[in-house]
PDB file of all heavy atoms in Angstrom:
ATOM      1  N   THR I1059       4.331  11.155  -2.831  1.00  0.00           N
ATOM      2  CA  THR I1059       4.281   9.688  -2.977  1.00  0.00           C
ATOM      3  C   THR I1059       3.231   9.076  -2.084  1.00  0.00           C
ATOM      4  O   THR I1059       2.404   8.257  -2.575  1.00  0.00           O
ATOM      5  CB  THR I1059       5.679   9.086  -2.667  1.00  0.00           C
ATOM      6  OG1 THR I1059       6.653   9.602  -3.549  1.00  0.00           O
ATOM      7  CG2 THR I1059       5.617   7.550  -2.756  1.00  0.00           C
ATOM      8  N   ILE I1060       3.176   9.476  -0.817  1.00  0.00           N
ATOM      9  CA  ILE I1060       2.220   8.914   0.087  1.00  0.00           C
ATOM     10  C   ILE I1060       0.803   9.395  -0.244  1.00  0.00           C
ATOM     11  O   ILE I1060      -0.161   8.608  -0.117  1.00  0.00           O
ATOM     12  CB  ILE I1060       2.606   9.264   1.547  1.00  0.00           C
ATOM     13  CG1 ILE I1060       3.955   8.628   1.880  1.00  0.00           C
ATOM     14  CG2 ILE I1060       1.514   8.803   2.555  1.00  0.00           C
ATOM     15  CD1 ILE I1060       4.005   7.128   1.705  1.00  0.00           C
ATOM     16  N   ALA I1061       0.637  10.616  -0.636  1.00  0.00           N
ATOM     17  CA  ALA I1061      -0.667  11.085  -1.062  1.00  0.00           C
ATOM     18  C   ALA I1061      -1.225  10.264  -2.230  1.00  0.00           C
ATOM     19  O   ALA I1061      -2.422   9.890  -2.232  1.00  0.00           O
ATOM     20  CB  ALA I1061      -0.614  12.565  -1.422  1.00  0.00           C
ATOM     21  N   GLN I1062      -0.347   9.894  -3.145  1.00  0.00           N
ATOM     22  CA  GLN I1062      -0.766   9.052  -4.236  1.00  0.00           C
ATOM     23  C   GLN I1062      -1.240   7.654  -3.784  1.00  0.00           C
ATOM     24  O   GLN I1062      -2.236   7.128  -4.197  1.00  0.00           O
ATOM     25  CB  GLN I1062       0.349   8.900  -5.297  1.00  0.00           C
ATOM     26  CG  GLN I1062      -0.024   8.146  -6.524  1.00  0.00           C
ATOM     27  CD  GLN I1062      -1.082   8.872  -7.352  1.00  0.00           C
ATOM     28  OE1 GLN I1062      -0.953  10.038  -7.674  1.00  0.00           O
ATOM     29  NE2 GLN I1062      -2.186   8.141  -7.719  1.00  0.00           N
ATOM     30  N   ARG I1063      -0.466   7.088  -2.862  1.00  0.00           N
ATOM     31  CA  ARG I1063      -0.834   5.786  -2.306  1.00  0.00           C
ATOM     32  C   ARG I1063      -2.183   5.847  -1.591  1.00  0.00           C
ATOM     33  O   ARG I1063      -3.023   4.940  -1.683  1.00  0.00           O
ATOM     34  CB  ARG I1063       0.273   5.269  -1.409  1.00  0.00           C
ATOM     35  CG  ARG I1063       1.608   5.072  -2.097  1.00  0.00           C
ATOM     36  CD  ARG I1063       1.580   4.056  -3.134  1.00  0.00           C
ATOM     37  NE  ARG I1063       2.858   3.996  -3.896  1.00  0.00           N
ATOM     38  CZ  ARG I1063       3.101   4.703  -5.032  1.00  0.00           C
ATOM     39  NH1 ARG I1063       2.102   5.393  -5.577  1.00  0.00           N
ATOM     40  NH2 ARG I1063       4.291   4.629  -5.636  1.00  0.00           N
ATOM     41  N   LEU I1064      -2.352   6.885  -0.814  1.00  0.00           N
ATOM     42  CA  LEU I1064      -3.636   7.067  -0.091  1.00  0.00           C
ATOM     43  C   LEU I1064      -4.792   7.213  -1.078  1.00  0.00           C
ATOM     44  O   LEU I1064      -5.870   6.603  -0.907  1.00  0.00           O
ATOM     45  CB  LEU I1064      -3.565   8.281   0.854  1.00  0.00           C
ATOM     46  CG  LEU I1064      -2.679   8.082   2.099  1.00  0.00           C
ATOM     47  CD1 LEU I1064      -2.335   9.472   2.669  1.00  0.00           C
ATOM     48  CD2 LEU I1064      -3.378   7.248   3.114  1.00  0.00           C
ATOM     49  N   ALA I1065      -4.608   7.954  -2.116  1.00  0.00           N
ATOM     50  CA  ALA I1065      -5.646   8.138  -3.098  1.00  0.00           C
ATOM     51  C   ALA I1065      -5.976   6.833  -3.811  1.00  0.00           C
ATOM     52  O   ALA I1065      -7.122   6.659  -4.328  1.00  0.00           O
ATOM     53  CB  ALA I1065      -5.244   9.222  -4.130  1.00  0.00           C
ATOM     54  N   GLU I1066      -5.042   5.961  -3.883  1.00  0.00           N
ATOM     55  CA  GLU I1066      -5.272   4.638  -4.485  1.00  0.00           C
ATOM     56  C   GLU I1066      -5.899   3.633  -3.553  1.00  0.00           C
ATOM     57  O   GLU I1066      -6.161   2.507  -3.919  1.00  0.00           O
ATOM     58  CB  GLU I1066      -3.918   4.081  -5.014  1.00  0.00           C
ATOM     59  CG  GLU I1066      -3.353   4.882  -6.185  1.00  0.00           C
ATOM     60  CD  GLU I1066      -1.927   4.546  -6.479  1.00  0.00           C
ATOM     61  OE1 GLU I1066      -1.322   3.701  -5.677  1.00  0.00           O
ATOM     62  OE2 GLU I1066      -1.340   5.055  -7.453  1.00  0.00           O
ATOM     63  N   GLY I1067      -6.085   4.029  -2.273  1.00  0.00           N
ATOM     64  CA  GLY I1067      -6.765   3.188  -1.320  1.00  0.00           C
ATOM     65  C   GLY I1067      -5.861   2.521  -0.309  1.00  0.00           C
ATOM     66  O   GLY I1067      -6.351   1.699   0.523  1.00  0.00           O
ATOM     67  N   SER I1068      -4.612   2.831  -0.281  1.00  0.00           N
ATOM     68  CA  SER I1068      -3.702   2.223   0.687  1.00  0.00           C
ATOM     69  C   SER I1068      -3.969   2.795   2.084  1.00  0.00           C
ATOM     70  O   SER I1068      -4.414   3.926   2.216  1.00  0.00           O
ATOM     71  CB  SER I1068      -2.246   2.502   0.304  1.00  0.00           C
ATOM     72  OG  SER I1068      -1.903   1.812  -0.881  1.00  0.00           O
ATOM     73  N   LEU I1069      -3.640   1.956   3.076  1.00  0.00           N
ATOM     74  CA  LEU I1069      -3.704   2.388   4.509  1.00  0.00           C
ATOM     75  C   LEU I1069      -2.325   2.618   4.997  1.00  0.00           C
ATOM     76  O   LEU I1069      -1.424   1.755   4.825  1.00  0.00           O
ATOM     77  CB  LEU I1069      -4.422   1.331   5.339  1.00  0.00           C
ATOM     78  CG  LEU I1069      -5.789   0.886   4.809  1.00  0.00           C
ATOM     79  CD1 LEU I1069      -6.401  -0.204   5.704  1.00  0.00           C
ATOM     80  CD2 LEU I1069      -6.769   2.054   4.736  1.00  0.00           C
ATOM     81  N   VAL I1070      -2.104   3.740   5.640  1.00  0.00           N
ATOM     82  CA  VAL I1070      -0.700   4.229   5.930  1.00  0.00           C
ATOM     83  C   VAL I1070      -0.533   4.508   7.424  1.00  0.00           C
ATOM     84  O   VAL I1070      -1.322   5.251   7.995  1.00  0.00           O
ATOM     85  CB  VAL I1070      -0.405   5.530   5.110  1.00  0.00           C
ATOM     86  CG1 VAL I1070       0.958   6.059   5.482  1.00  0.00           C
ATOM     87  CG2 VAL I1070      -0.460   5.176   3.625  1.00  0.00           C
ATOM     88  N   GLY I1071       0.567   3.983   7.978  1.00  0.00           N
ATOM     89  CA  GLY I1071       1.005   4.381   9.284  1.00  0.00           C
ATOM     90  C   GLY I1071       1.918   5.593   9.130  1.00  0.00           C
ATOM     91  O   GLY I1071       2.887   5.522   8.382  1.00  0.00           O
ATOM     92  N   TRP I1072       1.633   6.657   9.879  1.00  0.00           N
ATOM     93  CA  TRP I1072       2.354   7.965   9.680  1.00  0.00           C
ATOM     94  C   TRP I1072       2.998   8.357  10.986  1.00  0.00           C
ATOM     95  O   TRP I1072       2.354   8.704  11.956  1.00  0.00           O
ATOM     96  CB  TRP I1072       1.351   8.976   9.189  1.00  0.00           C
ATOM     97  CG  TRP I1072       1.873  10.373   8.924  1.00  0.00           C
ATOM     98  CD1 TRP I1072       1.781  11.451   9.759  1.00  0.00           C
ATOM     99  CD2 TRP I1072       2.498  10.880   7.732  1.00  0.00           C
ATOM    100  NE1 TRP I1072       2.332  12.558   9.220  1.00  0.00           N
ATOM    101  CE2 TRP I1072       2.768  12.264   7.973  1.00  0.00           C
ATOM    102  CE3 TRP I1072       2.873  10.289   6.551  1.00  0.00           C
ATOM    103  CZ2 TRP I1072       3.396  13.028   6.996  1.00  0.00           C
ATOM    104  CZ3 TRP I1072       3.508  11.083   5.587  1.00  0.00           C
ATOM    105  CH2 TRP I1072       3.762  12.441   5.792  1.00  0.00           C
ATOM    106  N   PHE I1073       4.369   8.349  10.992  1.00  0.00           N
ATOM    107  CA  PHE I1073       5.117   8.522  12.213  1.00  0.00           C
ATOM    108  C   PHE I1073       6.163   9.618  11.927  1.00  0.00           C
ATOM    109  O   PHE I1073       7.052   9.484  11.116  1.00  0.00           O
ATOM    110  CB  PHE I1073       5.832   7.212  12.587  1.00  0.00           C
ATOM    111  CG  PHE I1073       6.673   7.257  13.858  1.00  0.00           C
ATOM    112  CD1 PHE I1073       6.213   6.627  15.015  1.00  0.00           C
ATOM    113  CD2 PHE I1073       7.885   7.922  13.918  1.00  0.00           C
ATOM    114  CE1 PHE I1073       6.977   6.616  16.176  1.00  0.00           C
ATOM    115  CE2 PHE I1073       8.646   7.926  15.076  1.00  0.00           C
ATOM    116  CZ  PHE I1073       8.177   7.287  16.216  1.00  0.00           C
ATOM    117  N   GLN I1074       6.018  10.783  12.587  1.00  0.00           N
ATOM    118  CA  GLN I1074       6.939  11.900  12.355  1.00  0.00           C
ATOM    119  C   GLN I1074       6.847  12.865  13.500  1.00  0.00           C
ATOM    120  O   GLN I1074       5.863  13.009  14.214  1.00  0.00           O
ATOM    121  CB  GLN I1074       6.550  12.591  11.016  1.00  0.00           C
ATOM    122  CG  GLN I1074       5.163  13.125  10.912  1.00  0.00           C
ATOM    123  CD  GLN I1074       5.057  14.632  10.721  1.00  0.00           C
ATOM    124  OE1 GLN I1074       6.088  15.324  10.630  1.00  0.00           O
ATOM    125  NE2 GLN I1074       3.841  15.153  10.699  1.00  0.00           N
ATOM    126  N   GLY I1075       7.952  13.609  13.685  1.00  0.00           N
ATOM    127  CA  GLY I1075       7.977  14.701  14.609  1.00  0.00           C
ATOM    128  C   GLY I1075       7.815  14.232  16.076  1.00  0.00           C
ATOM    129  O   GLY I1075       8.039  13.071  16.431  1.00  0.00           O
ATOM    130  N   ARG I1076       7.396  15.192  16.929  1.00  0.00           N
ATOM    131  CA  ARG I1076       7.298  14.932  18.365  1.00  0.00           C
ATOM    132  C   ARG I1076       5.933  14.284  18.666  1.00  0.00           C
ATOM    133  O   ARG I1076       4.907  14.591  18.075  1.00  0.00           O
ATOM    134  CB  ARG I1076       7.417  16.210  19.148  1.00  0.00           C
ATOM    135  CG  ARG I1076       8.776  16.891  19.019  1.00  0.00           C
ATOM    136  CD  ARG I1076       8.899  18.102  19.935  1.00  0.00           C
ATOM    137  NE  ARG I1076       8.950  17.745  21.309  1.00  0.00           N
ATOM    138  CZ  ARG I1076       9.071  18.645  22.307  1.00  0.00           C
ATOM    139  NH1 ARG I1076       9.212  19.927  22.049  1.00  0.00           N
ATOM    140  NH2 ARG I1076       9.082  18.233  23.565  1.00  0.00           N
ATOM    141  N   LEU I1077       5.970  13.336  19.623  1.00  0.00           N
ATOM    142  CA  LEU I1077       4.770  12.630  20.034  1.00  0.00           C
ATOM    143  C   LEU I1077       3.723  13.596  20.610  1.00  0.00           C
ATOM    144  O   LEU I1077       4.071  14.483  21.364  1.00  0.00           O
ATOM    145  CB  LEU I1077       5.185  11.609  21.099  1.00  0.00           C
ATOM    146  CG  LEU I1077       4.053  10.879  21.848  1.00  0.00           C
ATOM    147  CD1 LEU I1077       3.325   9.908  20.902  1.00  0.00           C
ATOM    148  CD2 LEU I1077       4.646  10.113  23.034  1.00  0.00           C
ATOM    149  N   GLU I1078       2.498  13.376  20.241  1.00  0.00           N
ATOM    150  CA  GLU I1078       1.377  14.149  20.778  1.00  0.00           C
ATOM    151  C   GLU I1078       1.142  13.768  22.211  1.00  0.00           C
ATOM    152  O   GLU I1078       1.326  12.639  22.622  1.00  0.00           O
ATOM    153  CB  GLU I1078       0.066  13.925  20.014  1.00  0.00           C
ATOM    154  CG  GLU I1078       0.133  14.241  18.536  1.00  0.00           C
ATOM    155  CD  GLU I1078       0.419  12.981  17.649  1.00  0.00           C
ATOM    156  OE1 GLU I1078       1.117  12.060  18.182  1.00  0.00           O
ATOM    157  OE2 GLU I1078       0.023  13.033  16.523  1.00  0.00           O
ATOM    158  N   MET I1079       0.699  14.729  23.046  1.00  0.00           N
ATOM    159  CA  MET I1079       0.159  14.432  24.367  1.00  0.00           C
ATOM    160  C   MET I1079      -1.374  14.456  24.258  1.00  0.00           C
ATOM    161  O   MET I1079      -1.911  15.211  23.451  1.00  0.00           O
ATOM    162  CB  MET I1079       0.621  15.443  25.422  1.00  0.00           C
ATOM    163  CG  MET I1079       0.367  15.017  26.841  1.00  0.00           C
ATOM    164  SD  MET I1079       0.848  16.278  28.007  1.00  0.00           S
ATOM    165  CE  MET I1079       0.763  15.328  29.532  1.00  0.00           C
ATOM    166  N   GLY I1080      -2.032  13.646  25.068  1.00  0.00           N
ATOM    167  CA  GLY I1080      -3.483  13.603  25.069  1.00  0.00           C
ATOM    168  C   GLY I1080      -4.002  12.443  24.278  1.00  0.00           C
ATOM    169  O   GLY I1080      -3.278  11.649  23.689  1.00  0.00           O
ATOM    170  N   PRO I1081      -5.344  12.272  24.251  1.00  0.00           N
ATOM    171  CA  PRO I1081      -5.953  11.070  23.690  1.00  0.00           C
ATOM    172  C   PRO I1081      -6.047  11.029  22.192  1.00  0.00           C
ATOM    173  O   PRO I1081      -6.422  10.013  21.661  1.00  0.00           O
ATOM    174  CB  PRO I1081      -7.318  11.067  24.336  1.00  0.00           C
ATOM    175  CG  PRO I1081      -7.628  12.516  24.555  1.00  0.00           C
ATOM    176  CD  PRO I1081      -6.331  13.158  24.904  1.00  0.00           C
ATOM    177  N   ARG I1082      -5.744  12.143  21.513  1.00  0.00           N
ATOM    178  CA  ARG I1082      -5.891  12.194  20.072  1.00  0.00           C
ATOM    179  C   ARG I1082      -4.589  12.197  19.336  1.00  0.00           C
ATOM    180  O   ARG I1082      -3.606  12.918  19.721  1.00  0.00           O
ATOM    181  CB  ARG I1082      -6.695  13.475  19.639  1.00  0.00           C
ATOM    182  CG  ARG I1082      -7.924  13.762  20.436  1.00  0.00           C
ATOM    183  CD  ARG I1082      -9.022  12.786  20.138  1.00  0.00           C
ATOM    184  NE  ARG I1082     -10.202  13.129  20.901  1.00  0.00           N
ATOM    185  CZ  ARG I1082     -10.954  12.261  21.548  1.00  0.00           C
ATOM    186  NH1 ARG I1082     -10.615  11.010  21.561  1.00  0.00           N
ATOM    187  NH2 ARG I1082     -12.043  12.701  22.201  1.00  0.00           N
ATOM    188  N   ALA I1083      -4.463  11.423  18.284  1.00  0.00           N
ATOM    189  CA  ALA I1083      -3.335  11.513  17.370  1.00  0.00           C
ATOM    190  C   ALA I1083      -3.601  12.630  16.411  1.00  0.00           C
ATOM    191  O   ALA I1083      -4.665  12.727  15.803  1.00  0.00           O
ATOM    192  CB  ALA I1083      -3.158  10.221  16.618  1.00  0.00           C
TER     193      ALA I1083
END
């Protein structure tokens, strides 16, 4: 579902699993 929305041009906030450490998401 989200892949389809992204392909259509939507911008998505993606929050899942354990938080990353360091400066990069």
